[in-house]
Amino acid sequence: MVHKVAVIGAGPCGLTSVKACLDEGMEPTCFESSDDMGGLWKFKEVSEPNRASIYRSLTINVWKEMMCYSDYPIPADYPNYMHHSKILKYFRMYADHFKLLQYIRFQTKVKSVKQRPDFSRTGQWDVVTETRDGYEENHIFDAIICCTGHFNYPNLPLKDFPGIETFEGKYFHSWDYKGPEDMHGKRVVVIGIGNSGGDIAVEGSRVAEQVYLSTRSGAWVIRQVSDNGLPVDRFNTRFVHIMFRLLPMRFLNWLGEKKLNSMYDHAMYGLKPKHRLFSQIPVINDDLPFRILSGSVIVKPNIKEISGSTVVFDDGSTAENVDLIVFATGYNYDFPYLPKNAIYKSGHRIGLYKHVFPPNLEQPTLAIVGFIHSDGAIMPQAEMQARFVTRVFKGDKKLPSNQAMIKAVENDTKKIAKNYVVSKLTPLQVDLVEYMDDLAKDIGVQPNLLWLFLTDFPLFKKVLWGPVTAYQYRLMGPGKWEGARKAIFTQYDPFILHTLSFAVCFLIKLSLTFMAGGAAIYYIHRNPTTISTLVSKLRPQSV
């Protein structure tokens, strides 16, 4: 029986893991090497080694209703897209509300986690920690939850850029970027067009003499503000998810790309990527197209070589007198405190059953929470993982055999490679709704649409056609929250709710059209002579 659980890291994943342990009657101890909670969202003027880092102006690119925990809504007066300081305040309120602080040991680093000699029988772990003063402690825990994320180890591939050693200016990784102060009047090259690269290029272009944005493969760029001024996240609905299962992906890619190109032609802007829209998470940036249009950001292909202060690109063009290069080239990932035999490799990624449990251990008492990447925020996904993990620890959910889990992991790896563009830096992609529903089904909290249709039709409409917020997973089953229904009905303010009615009417009409069309196709398929019989009746009768 698992009782004592070590939670490593007090970021958003660690906080919800502590709460999940308490909900299941366990005793968690959370170790946090920093002096505060928040993980990635705790801004520091100087980046700390082996810790995630953000820049001063960072604002989340996910609508607040899609990023909050399932039983603690973000305050209504907070903006739809929050600055990192407000996100940190929300985490503090969450910790205060559920009384989590007493279980967190700050300024305590986890040095090592090892199986005990009797692990095959007990599943227990030896954990060595170190305080800021260098004092070491030994602990024994029944289970471990790792919540240290995958933005801690910046990838700086200098060997891929011939001549970088001759560069006369300054260069650094986006992990070290805090603001545009060093860019005033400078000529800057930003390498990489992910969300960080796009943000840094835009922010730098407001003060720099010139910014060049170098991209190897391009990107689809979408806006946070969509039609009618609503958050783009509103399209992340169950209805849309059903359409993605029914309609051909080639058609969906064509439709989505057509919509994006109607706002600005990606080929004309130099942004058009080699991949299709839904095979990689798009860049979310409302300002980048205008900065390109105004000439303050010039999009360039991959860098061929660097010579002194000159950067040569693959198309033969150059950027002269470059003062600064920012490498927005992603992150490596590692869990240096874990034993090597606890890590199962599958392709480019660390193989985890349900993206949580190592499949090769004798006892399921080690879990990794938050080590995932999707088209949604990490908070609700980590919360769902933590709820799943603690039910496994408690014994309410039994995992398959090691052989079955390894097979499932390998199938996941193939599925990810088939559906998404993956590399050693981006091997973690999953579909948000599909993944959340998969875990929710195991926990017993997946919304039952048929039951809602029969018993609570107004709520059914919200769950089917509204955004898939985490509140939906508190409507029924273990951990049911009485406030979930109200939270779903009040996730839009009155103005947005009025505007949304038009979208809901459109979706209702569209769904009825698909239902009618599907029924007609099914009937004709079962009765192939229908059309010919109908046509014969329409022919004029011969005299």
Side-chain angles (χ1 to χ4, degrees):
M1 175 65 181
V2 170
H3 180 61
K4 296 180 62 178
V5 181
V7 178
I8 305 174
C13 303
L15 292 176
T16 193
S17 294
V18 170
K19 179 182 178 295
C21 288
L22 294 172
D23 289 344
E24 296 295 345
M26 300 173 192
E27 181 185 332
T29 301
C30 181
F31 299 104
E32 171 56 50
S33 60
S34 182
D35 57 357
D36 199 357
M37 68 182 70
L40 170 70
W41 299 102
K42 172 61 178 177
F43 174 77
K44 290 183 178 291
E45 287 291 346
V46 179
S47 301
E48 295 180 352
N50 304 328
R51 287 185 57 82
S53 175
I54 56 175
Y55 37 95
R56 194 174 296 106
S57 63
L58 181 64
T59 299
I60 195 150
N61 58 15
V62 177
W63 179 32
K64 70 174 182 178
E65 296 294 338
M66 293 291 288
M67 66 154 284
C68 64
Y69 296 118
S70 61
D71 54 357
Y72 192 74
I74 293 173
D77 60 340
Y78 274 37
N80 285 307
Y81 293 101
M82 299 184 294
H83 184 259
H84 64 75
S85 60
K86 286 194 176 294
I87 297 173
L88 185 60
K89 286 180 181 179
Y90 168 67
F91 292 146
R92 288 171 176 163
M93 288 188 290
Y94 177 81
D96 288 339
H97 180 78
F98 293 109
K99 299 178 172 56
L100 307 180
L101 285 174
Q102 60 185 304
Y103 301 98
I104 304 174
R105 295 183 57 177
F106 293 106
Q107 297 185 333
T108 304
K109 176 184 177 182
V110 173
K111 295 189 66 177
S112 69
V113 174
K114 296 179 180 179
Q115 295 106 316
R116 288 183 58 77
D118 57 356
F119 177 80
S120 60
R121 180 175 58 85
T122 65
Q124 291 184 325
W125 300 82
D126 285 320
V127 177
V128 178
T129 61
E130 182 181 71
T131 66
R132 184 180 63 173
D133 300 326
Y135 178 71
E136 284 193 4
E137 285 186 304
N138 296 303
H139 315 263
I140 298 175
F141 286 99
D142 299 316
I144 308 290
I145 305 179
C146 305
C147 304
T148 48
H150 50 93
F151 296 113
N152 301 331
Y153 307 100
N155 175 55
L156 195 61
L158 298 181
K159 63 180 184 345
D160 294 339
F161 298 90
I164 185 66
E165 68 280 359
T166 71
F167 183 55
E168 298 172 358
K170 177 182 178 182
Y171 66 82
F172 56 82
H173 192 274
S174 57
W175 179 80
D176 279 313
Y177 177 80
K178 298 300 176 182
E181 296 81 9
D182 292 338
M183 296 184 177
H184 280 269
K186 302 290 181 63
R187 296 174 64 82
V188 180
V189 174
V190 178
I191 302 173
I193 198 175
N195 284 307
S196 294
D199 284 352
I200 293 170
V202 166
E203 188 169 63
S205 69
R206 296 190 175 100
V207 299
E209 177 186 329
Q210 183 64 64
V211 172
Y212 299 90
L213 180 57
S214 171
T215 170
R216 179 176 298 173
S217 57
W220 294 104
V221 180
I222 66 175
R223 300 181 302 174
Q224 290 171 284
V225 182
S226 69
D227 299 343
N228 299 316
L230 295 176
V232 71
D233 310 67
R234 70 189 175 96
F235 290 110
N236 217 335
T237 69
R238 291 189 180 279
F239 176 78
V240 170
H241 183 68
I242 293 171
M243 291 300 101
F244 266 73
R245 292 198 168 196
L246 295 177
L247 299 176
M249 185 55 66
R250 291 178 63 183
F251 170 74
L252 294 168
N253 277 315
W254 172 82
L255 189 65
E257 291 165 10
K258 183 177 176 64
K259 172 68 173 177
L260 292 183
N261 282 326
S262 69
M263 292 183 284
Y264 38 85
D265 189 310
H266 280 61
M268 184 179 71
Y269 279 68
L271 295 170
K272 185 177 180 180
K274 301 173 183 177
H275 59 267
R276 303 305 300 269
L277 173 58
F278 295 112
S279 62
Q280 193 175 80
I281 294 176
V283 172
I284 302 176
N285 198 307
D286 291 55
D287 298 326
L288 182 59
F290 174 73
R291 306 310 296 182
I292 295 172
L293 197 62
S294 67
S296 53
V297 173
I298 298 176
V299 178
K300 290 290 186 180
N302 193 43
I303 292 176
K304 181 179 180 180
E305 63 176 332
I306 299 169
S307 178
S309 63
T310 300
V311 176
V312 183
F313 301 97
D314 280 346
D315 62 357
S317 63
T318 61
E320 307 286 346
N321 303 317
V322 173
D323 304 291
L324 181 65
I325 298 177
V326 181
F327 287 86
T329 45
Y331 292 83
N332 299 306
Y333 55 89
D334 193 14
F335 297 92
Y337 48 83
L338 290 180
K340 297 300 181 184
N341 66 345
I343 302 298
Y344 177 82
K345 293 289 290 184
S346 178
H348 288 304
R349 70 191 190 103
I350 292 178
L352 300 170
Y353 177 69
K354 301 279 186 178
H355 303 283
V356 174
F357 285 99
N360 56 326
L361 296 180
E362 297 171 284
Q363 295 285 350
T365 55
L366 171 65
I368 298 178
V369 167
F371 197 61
I372 201 73
H373 198 197
S374 78
D375 52 344
I378 190 60
M379 296 77 170
Q381 295 174 88
E383 180 185 43
M384 190 66 72
Q385 289 179 325
R387 294 172 71 184
F388 173 64
V389 164
T390 51
R391 290 187 67 78
V392 171
F393 287 172
K394 190 178 178 182
D396 291 335
K397 174 66 180 177
K398 185 174 176 60
L399 297 183
S401 66
N402 291 96
Q403 185 178 1
M405 287 194 289
I406 288 173
K407 183 177 180 180
V409 166
E410 296 300 335
N411 287 337
D412 281 343
T413 299
K414 293 176 183 177
K415 182 179 179 181
I416 292 172
K418 178 182 177 182
N419 295 333
Y420 304 102
V421 177
V422 297
S423 69
K424 68 176 184 178
L425 299 180
T426 58
L428 309 170
Q429 179 92 11
V430 297
D431 177 85
L432 172 67
V433 179
E434 180 181 349
Y435 181 61
M436 293 280 282
D437 275 355
D438 182 50
L439 290 180
K441 185 178 180 180
D442 286 334
I443 302 168
V445 297
Q446 184 180 11
N448 188 322
L449 292 178
L450 178 59
W451 176 255
L452 292 177
F453 178 80
L454 296 174
T455 62
D456 193 341
F457 188 70
L459 180 58
F460 164 80
K461 291 191 295 183
K462 295 290 185 183
V463 172
L464 179 61
W465 287 305
V468 185
T469 50
Y471 312 132
Q472 294 190 8
Y473 302 102
R474 291 286 183 179
L475 290 170
M476 52 190 66
K480 178 181 177 181
W481 175 47
E482 295 301 324
R485 188 181 189 277
K486 179 181 179 182
I488 291 173
F489 274 86
T490 58
Q491 58 196 3
Y492 290 104
D493 61 32
F495 170 75
I496 291 181
L497 183 61
H498 173 74
T499 309
L500 184 65
S501 62
F502 296 100
V504 171
C505 290
F506 170 75
L507 289 177
I508 292 174
K509 293 176 182 177
L510 185 63
S511 65
L512 292 175
T513 302
F514 274 112
M515 291 169 64
I521 292 171
Y522 178 77
Y523 180 81
I524 292 171
H525 176 71
R526 295 294 300 270
N527 301 275
T529 61
T530 299
I531 294 179
S532 58
T533 302
L534 181 61
V535 171
S536 66
K537 291 182 179 180
L538 294 175
R539 290 173 180 166
Q541 300 295 316
S542 58
V543 179

